[in-house]
Amino acid sequence: MTEHDSASVIVSRSKKYNINNNNPHFSQSYPRKVMKQIASFKRNEKIDKKQPATPTRAPSKKKTATYAPTTVRRLNRVQYFKHKELKNYNFWKTNYPDPVPPLPKDEDVNPSTGEKLPPIIAYVTTLTKCAPSNMDYLDGAAVLLHSIRRNSYGWAPMQQQLKENQQREREQTTNHNLSNNFNPKSWPNYGGNGGRYRYRAYVILNPDASPKNEANKDNNSGDCAKILENMGYTVLHRPPLVPLYEIPPSNELAATNNTYYDELQKSGYVGEQRSIYGPLSRPHDERPDLLSYNMLNDGCCGYDELLKLHVYGLVEHELAVHLDFDSLLLRPMDDLFDVMLGKHSSNGKSVPTLPIAKGPKTKKPDFSKPIHAAFTRDYNSVKDPNPDAPVGIQGGFLVVKPSLEVLDRFKTILRRGEFLLDPRKGWGGKFGGFYGDMTFQGILPYYYEMVAPEGEHNEIELDRCIYNQMADNPRKSTHRFPRATPLDPEKMGFSDTTKCRDGREDCSDTDCQRVHPRDSVTAHFTFCHKPWDCSDGLPGTVAHETCSVLLREWYGVRRELEDWWLLKDPNFKRAKTWWDNIDDQRNLYWKAETVDQVYEHRSGSLNVSTYLGYCDSFGENGYRSLTHPDGWFEEQEKAVKKELNTSTNYLSMNK
């Protein structure tokens, strides 16, 4: 039998047993080699049209505009991701969402001053997965947390702390002269004088990155969460707002006595309540799970990015801020917090001076009413700029007043799944066609502009050059992707156009690449690229100066964090009351070999004035990682506690 005849027989059998590309059991019926033979035979059949038909050939199928997988590869991909999602849901058979640790009572006062303590702001970030082979991005989490700490209530400027500890520094038991290495000029240039509000840092955790997940024990995917917890973050395991796929009844999987899993199974899934009729109904030739499939890889993190919406569930706090790992506080956000909490004036009549955006979508703030949310928009993701073009909310910065009612509304939006895909008009047929439109960046504007009941929401769009500063160019580029303004367009190969990304005629008032960081409150390392990748700061462009200053500030915060951990304090002990949360989250370098490594990691040669010795070359391979303090891991924690029982000065244990 020839190869051609063999393939013909296979196709004949596929017809007999109804084995075709649309059969969900197809991939399980024949091995990959056989399926390849079928595909090859069908291709040859199309090419050799002159060859007479034989009874063994599969009949040609007329193509239809449906989502039904046309190849085994597509079908396997759908099944793989669906299986992966369902496997994650199994985590909730034996686990519950973590409760938020109780906050202190309102009457709590600072025992040192006797003054009533200010509100505690929740700072939240999200971890959807962990790659143990490269965890440099966790340095971003450590630096972010310290930038929050140094701009919050209870922090004393490092210069003051250094002065108080000079005598103890001279007693440091290493070969290094710390009085020379502690150079305040290497510390950040902005902020660092404390703030008017306390803080607590949270990380929302996906089961994929959980140390509790049995599936992660073999690949160490739970290590990231352990490190974040030891940094000072409070870990909160959270499920998806709504399951991406329908969870099979318990009798189809392992039986469970976990009531929360049963609740999750009954909560529905994305698109379950999609209307049958009307302009937002699903087209008759669209698979019910098409939206779910596309949401898997939407934006930066796919469907998992919607875990950020759990920030609305932190109702224990008056305000909650969500920031990405690649963000940085340059100064306190106290003015924004004052406005959102109605504390900007004693009589509530004075108009606060907040930097409000100037875009065509910006609404005039109503400061006579409570502010429920503050955000910036991502005009860089708009494909065809015009004043009426839909614009997403930037996913790296969000400040909200937590509300379980709002959280439930987001769940309802997902269950209804009213996202038009073909053409891609987005949520409600109006919010789509831009980066991240299916998930976080698209669902937020849809909620605030179409879903939220009139009178129950009052949000403000902040100036993105001041809050969430990314040093972006307000004009379109001749390059296919957004680019900073080149100093020499001919050399760079691209140039600015006259078209503003927000659709206005003149956008010079939002030229963030020219706004110096001294005027910004928070930064977001997107266009400037990640500091832990030793970014070059976009040389040859207008943004280079701004990016270089922002990078220098990030490395300065890292240097101050390390020096804070190096400060010698024989009276240090873990705080037992929340008012002293600054020291409660303090780690220390106390082993001689650890201290040696800290200074060795500051000896990089790349542009020391900017990178402060933390880079040998541009790119991730040139980065010198943050040294973990002694006590970040369980066995070291036990060693510290043991030594503390025998000595009040555990920094002298290495003599």
Side-chain angles (χ1 to χ4, degrees):
M1 180 180 291
T2 65
E3 182 179 355
H4 176 84
D5 294 334
S6 177
S8 299
V9 171
I10 293 172
V11 173
S12 177
R13 290 175 179 173
S14 70
K15 179 180 178 182
K16 177 180 178 181
Y17 295 107
N18 191 26
I19 301 171
N20 54 62
N21 290 343
N22 294 321
N23 186 339
H25 303 291
F26 177 59
S27 61
Q28 301 174 6
S29 303
Y30 278 94
R32 184 181 297 272
K33 181 178 179 181
V34 174
M35 292 188 286
K36 283 185 175 181
Q37 287 179 311
I38 295 175
S40 175
F41 176 80
K42 290 184 177 180
R43 286 194 297 270
N44 293 336
E45 183 182 36
K46 292 179 181 179
I47 295 174
D48 191 9
K49 294 184 179 180
K50 295 182 179 181
Q51 185 173 348
T54 64
T56 58
R57 289 182 179 171
S60 60
K61 298 285 185 179
K62 184 179 179 180
K63 293 184 178 180
T64 58
T66 67
Y67 174 69
T70 55
T71 65
V72 175
R73 184 177 181 182
R74 171 72 63 84
L75 178 60
N76 285 344
R77 182 176 173 83
V78 173
Q79 291 178 337
Y80 168 78
F81 282 115
K82 188 172 183 178
H83 175 74
K84 183 175 180 292
E85 287 295 315
L86 293 176
K87 187 177 180 181
N88 270 345
Y89 302 150
N90 289 340
F91 174 83
W92 301 106
K93 289 183 177 181
T94 54
N95 295 276
Y96 289 85
D98 296 315
V100 175
L103 300 182
K105 298 179 180 179
D106 293 338
E107 59 268 21
D108 279 0
V109 296
N110 187 328
S112 301
T113 63
E115 64 181 350
K116 184 177 179 180
L117 296 175
I120 300 172
I121 306 298
Y123 287 88
V124 189
T125 190
T126 302
L127 180 67
T128 59
K129 59 183 177 180
C130 174
S133 58
N134 183 2
M135 295 192 290
D136 287 343
Y137 60 90
L138 294 183
D139 288 10
V143 172
L144 170 61
L145 179 54
H146 189 63
S147 73
I148 295 169
R149 180 187 296 122
R150 65 192 300 273
N151 288 296
S152 297
Y153 179 88
W155 173 263
M158 270 295 288
Q159 289 83 350
Q160 177 182 332
Q161 296 188 51
L162 178 61
K163 184 177 180 180
E164 294 173 353
N165 285 273
Q166 282 180 342
Q167 180 62 35
R168 290 187 288 268
E169 288 173 7
R170 286 193 287 268
E171 300 171 0
Q172 182 75 358
T173 57
T174 68
N175 296 326
H176 301 287
N177 187 339
L178 294 184
S179 61
N180 293 331
N181 287 289
F182 275 33
N183 181 8
K185 292 183 179 180
S186 296
W187 295 339
N189 294 312
Y190 312 109
N193 294 313
R196 297 194 295 272
Y197 291 88
R198 291 181 289 171
Y199 75 96
R200 182 186 283 181
Y202 297 94
V203 57
I204 303 296
L205 204 61
N206 184 304
D208 273 345
S210 172
K212 295 181 180 180
N213 196 338
E214 294 291 332
N216 295 336
K217 290 188 176 180
D218 294 335
N219 55 20
N220 299 321
S221 294
D223 289 354
C224 297
K226 294 178 181 178
I227 293 175
L228 289 169
E229 192 168 24
N230 285 315
M231 282 181 189
Y233 286 93
T234 297
V235 172
L236 298 177
H237 289 80
R238 290 293 182 267
L241 267 67
V242 172
L244 189 58
Y245 295 100
E246 182 179 10
I247 301 178
S250 299
N251 58 0
E252 292 186 25
L253 298 172
T256 175
N257 294 321
N258 189 325
T259 57
Y260 183 75
Y261 176 83
D262 295 334
E263 293 175 10
L264 190 64
Q265 192 268 331
K266 295 175 183 177
S267 65
Y269 54 93
V270 171
E272 177 195 25
Q273 299 175 2
R274 185 79 175 265
S275 57
I276 302 176
Y277 304 104
L280 299 179
S281 62
R282 182 186 300 110
H284 69 279
D285 57 352
E286 179 181 302
R287 276 181 62 103
D289 61 355
L290 175 58
L291 178 61
S292 298
Y293 176 75
N294 280 276
M295 291 178 87
L296 282 166
N297 297 310
D298 184 66
C300 76
C301 317
Y303 188 66
D304 289 341
E305 190 174 14
L306 287 175
L307 287 172
K308 293 179 179 180
L309 293 177
H310 279 293
V311 70
Y312 286 92
L314 295 174
V315 292
E316 294 80 3
H317 296 267
E318 295 182 67
L319 290 177
V321 184
H322 193 286
L323 298 168
D324 287 348
F325 283 164
D326 56 353
S327 300
L328 188 74
L329 261 69
L330 302 172
R331 303 201 309 263
M333 291 197 286
D334 294 346
D335 292 343
L336 175 60
F337 298 156
D338 286 346
V339 171
M340 295 188 70
L341 293 175
K343 298 182 179 181
H344 53 282
S345 67
S346 57
N347 54 21
K349 295 182 179 180
S350 62
V351 179
T353 55
L354 277 179
I356 304 301
K358 309 172 185 68
K361 296 286 186 180
T362 305
K363 296 180 180 178
K364 185 178 179 180
D366 185 357
F367 292 112
S368 65
K369 300 178 181 179
I371 305 296
H372 298 99
F375 49 77
T376 63
R377 290 191 184 268
D378 191 359
Y379 288 97
N380 297 286
S381 64
V382 178
K383 293 182 179 180
D384 184 21
N386 66 78
D388 298 322
V391 185
I393 289 177
Q394 218 290 323
F397 177 88
L398 179 66
V399 186
V400 302
K401 280 189 171 180
S403 166
L404 293 179
E405 187 175 9
V406 173
L407 188 63
D408 286 339
R409 288 172 184 162
F410 280 115
K411 294 178 181 179
T412 300
I413 291 173
L414 292 170
R415 279 191 289 263
R416 292 181 66 86
E418 294 177 336
F419 189 103
L420 298 186
L421 286 164
D422 189 16
R424 192 158 174 160
K425 295 183 178 180
W427 292 105
K430 294 183 178 180
F431 298 89
F434 50 82
Y435 181 81
D437 57 353
M438 288 186 181
T439 52
F440 192 77
Q441 298 194 186
I443 201 171
L444 280 170
Y446 173 56
Y447 171 75
Y448 283 114
E449 296 181 38
M450 285 192 68
V451 177
E454 188 69 26
E456 292 189 24
H457 66 101
N458 185 25
E459 59 280 354
I460 52 176
E461 180 189 347
L462 298 168
D463 187 334
R464 69 180 189 272
C465 301
I466 309 302
Y467 286 88
N468 205 30
Q469 158 72 303
M470 299 189 295
D472 57 302
N473 184 356
R475 297 188 181 277
K476 284 203 71 174
S477 171
T478 57
H479 195 281
R480 61 179 297 192
F481 296 116
R483 287 291 183 269
T485 301
L487 299 176
D488 186 346
E490 185 175 351
K491 181 180 179 181
M492 297 293 287
F494 60 88
S495 61
D496 284 357
T497 67
T498 59
K499 200 168 188 178
C500 291
R501 288 195 166 275
D502 59 14
R504 294 183 295 161
E505 293 293 330
D506 181 16
C507 49
S508 57
D509 56 358
T510 318
D511 197 349
C512 300
Q513 60 184 343
R514 302 177 192 270
V515 174
H516 197 279
R518 76 170 71 92
D519 300 318
S520 300
V521 178
T522 72
H524 191 187
F525 290 92
T526 54
F527 283 88
C528 294
H529 304 306
K530 312 307 179 196
W532 52 89
D533 287 342
C534 292
S535 166
D536 59 6
L538 307 182
T541 70
V542 169
H544 182 60
E545 180 181 357
T546 301
C547 286
S548 295
V549 174
L550 288 174
L551 288 167
R552 163 60 179 79
E553 198 69 4
W554 190 91
Y555 293 113
V557 175
R558 172 179 163 174
R559 175 62 59 86
E560 184 183 90
L561 173 61
E562 291 179 345
D563 287 348
W564 187 56
W565 284 339
L566 282 166
L567 282 178
K568 185 176 182 181
D569 186 354
N571 299 316
F572 171 75
K573 60 181 179 180
R574 295 286 177 185
K576 294 183 179 180
T577 55
W578 178 250
W579 69 269
D580 199 15
N581 68 310
I582 296 292
D583 276 342
D584 190 43
Q585 296 183 4
R586 182 175 180 181
N587 292 276
L588 292 175
Y589 295 127
W590 56 271
K591 291 183 179 180
E593 58 268 28
T594 307
V595 175
D596 288 341
Q597 186 178 20
V598 171
Y599 288 109
E600 192 278 327
H601 280 200
R602 296 177 177 181
S603 58
S605 57
L606 179 66
N607 192 357
V608 178
S609 62
T610 298
Y611 301 96
L612 302 182
Y614 295 123
C615 291
D616 292 308
S617 60
F618 294 126
E620 62 180 16
N621 292 331
Y623 180 67
R624 292 171 172 250
S625 301
L626 179 72
T627 301
H628 293 174
D630 303 307
W632 269 21
F633 299 106
E634 185 176 357
E635 60 272 14
Q636 293 171 328
E637 286 280 1
K638 292 179 180 178
V640 172
K641 293 177 181 178
K642 182 178 180 180
E643 294 294 342
L644 281 174
N645 291 331
T646 58
S647 173
T648 59
N649 183 3
Y650 58 86
L651 284 174
S652 64
M653 287 187 289
N654 297 287
K655 288 183 178 179

